[in-house]
Amino acid sequence: MTVKPSQNRRISTRLLQLKTAPTTPTTSSPWNTRLRELANQSLFTEALSVYREMLSFGASPNAFTFPFALKSCAALSLPFVGSQLHCHVIRSGCDPEPFVLTSLISMYCKCALIDSARKVFDENTQSMKLSVCYNALLSGYVLNLRYCDAFLLFGKMRELGVEINAVTMLGLIPACAGPGYFWLGTFMHCCCVKSGLVVDLSVANCLVTMYMKCGSVDYGRRLFNEIPEKGLITWNAMISGYAQNGLATHVLALYREMKTCGVLPDAVTFVGILSSVAHLGARSVGCEVEQQIAANGFGRNPFLSNALINMYARCGNLKKARAIFDCMPVKSVVSWTAIIGGYGMHGQGEVAVQLFDEMIRSGVRPDSTAFVSVLSACSHAGLSDKGSNYFAALEKKYGLQPGPEHYSCMVDLLGRAGQLNEAWELIKSMRVKPDGAVWGALLGACKIHKNVELAEIAFEKVIDLEPTNIGYYVLLSNLYSEAKNLEGVSRVRVMMRERNLKKDPGCSYVELNGRVHLFLAGDRSHHQTVEIYKMLDELENLFEELGGSNRIDREKRSEEKHSTGMAMHSEKLAIAFGLLNTSPGTEIVVIKNLRICGDCHLFMKMVSKIVDRQFVIRDATRFHHFKNGFCSCKDYW
DNA sequence: ATAGGGTTAG
């Protein structure tokens, strides 16, 4: 705004200044200071109102104003305000200023207007020499997933001899951070070593992250070990990298190491740790993290709240998960997804569905993952109509592409409801290649509804995709034995032997008086075995008297006793044991692998109708360390 | 001015 304010306006401005804030200046520098402070504190909305206020008071923005105003626009993703600012920049004549130029490019990139950014870059001859402008545009290309353009620009920089510095690398390396980009990543690593830029801690951190995102955990760790003076971000990069790769035990070990090195964790560290705590059930660490969060005042961090919701939901404490969720001032899709998934995991599909609808009403747009959590909740709770509607809305209403993960939920949903042919037709209609989970869901449904022919088709496909997943062999073998097809049973056995696959029996745990008791499927070694099986018999009789729908189960169980391929479900043993050893009105904590067995919820629902106990389920999908039947109750949930 | 770490399902 170089237009000189009229005399009248100047007078009125003066008056206003006297009335409201006696210190309100018409020179730009105090405004700039205020604007910079706000922008640096990430108070972008406030920063932009200061900019507007500044204009209304007749102060002229200059090269020290625009970078911060543009940064705020970029952060809030306001392309319209951004291009207005661009006009102001041109009018003020400070567009060739490097500060302003890079801010403009960066703003357009962050608002996804990459072509406008390129235009700014190309129109200024000045920018062709400046490394900073190249860096801004290059990181913008990567941000907008245009990796080819980014590498072309990188090539041009090398060709023209433009300075390549640490920031150039920081922009480019994330383009190699994905499965399949590993070799490109190692090339970038080599470039950094040759140019000596690896000594820059930021660059090294970035490379560690890149390797972890490629799934090359060993390379990441090796580089991590080579960094002489690790910073907090270095530790965080490694910890979250392990967490992303599902290496929960490594996460906890590294956290311990970090503490012995005297590095203080921050909110980001805790996010990585919490997801591992949730998967492992490492209670002592969970409690410690909880205290640390309270002590450090990280309570308001939305990422941390999401991680806490997930942890409590997985560990069976839905009440606490819900309390955190309800307290969040701004709930993102991730927060909703976490709580919906939590209810879904515990068989409370109705609540999950209500929450999903509430999310949409509150104006949060569901993403692909949110649909996965609501669809899986529907399939666990048998809400087939609801699920089908959501599946249709996914594409029609929200323009999302259904992936194999959505199809596997739908196949599970239809399959459980007995619509096996519909499920098969759905698979055939898929535009993306079905993965193991899709065929596995069909196989699981065939097992429930005893359809041997279709099961054989599904089995062939799933084994082709996941040849070492024992669960599928067991499913088919059990189906064969139910159908009294002994030849089939032995055929599957031979396949397993040939592929050197050892069958791990399914297992469940019950927590009782601070001790965790492990039950294997078909286990008869427990000292209360006789009582447990008696209790299960009694329960069956009660079910029959009440509804009589469990006859099939009874038949199945009589076979279980004799056939070698079948075994009494571990969670039934665990539940019976819990009933035997608790008094009415208490809570029984059942820890089991939620991924494999969905019938568990049904059984628990029926049991809780006739006995005065509350069941809490904890997900043990990743309880690897329990495999040998050992666990220490002090350290684990 | 440009940059590095974070949540979600199966």
Side-chain angles (χ1 to χ4, degrees), chain A residues 23 117 128 149 162 172 220 256 276 314 319 402 479 527 533 554 557 586 606:
Chain A
T23 49
M128 302 311 273
D149 290 306
V162 180
L172 204 54
R256 225 163 285 148
S276 304
R314 267 185 200 282
K319 264 185 203 159
L479 176 54
H527 70 275
Y533 277 84
R554 193 186 178 81
R557 203 160 40 78
T586 52
M606 287 163 78

Side-chain angles (χ1 to χ4, degrees), chain A residues 28-52 54 61-62 64-70 72 85:
Chain A
S28 42
S29 68
W31 292 102
N32 289 346
T33 313
R34 179 103 188 94
L35 189 59
R36 191 184 59 221
E37 276 169 6
L38 289 170
N40 287 341
Q41 287 170 40
S42 302
L43 297 165
F44 302 113
T45 320
E46 291 81 354
L48 283 180
S49 27
V50 166
Y51 178 78
R52 268 183 227 110
M54 172 181 185
N62 58 26
F64 297 98
T65 320
F66 290 120
F68 303 103
L70 286 164
S72 306
L85 276 166

Side-chain angles (χ1 to χ4, degrees), chain A residues 255-276:
Chain A
Y255 176 53
R256 225 163 285 148
E257 209 181 309
M258 177 181 172
K259 280 191 297 186
T260 55
C261 290
V263 180
L264 290 174
D266 71 347
V268 180
T269 322
F270 289 136
V271 172
I273 291 168
L274 279 178
S275 76
S276 304

Side-chain angles (χ1 to χ4, degrees), chain A residues 115-132:
Chain A
D115 296 325
S116 307
R118 181 80 206 204
K119 223 174 142 208
V120 175
F121 180 85
D122 285 336
E123 279 169 0
N124 283 277
T125 44
Q126 177 95 26
S127 68
M128 302 311 273
K129 291 175 229 137
L130 288 170
S131 178
V132 270

Side-chain angles (χ1 to χ4, degrees), chain A residues 510-513 577-584 586-588 613:
Chain A
V510 152
E511 199 181 73
L512 204 75
N513 305 324
F577 169 77
L579 290 175
L580 276 172
N581 296 288
T582 53
S583 41
T586 52
E587 207 172 61
I588 298 177
R613 306 283 201 290

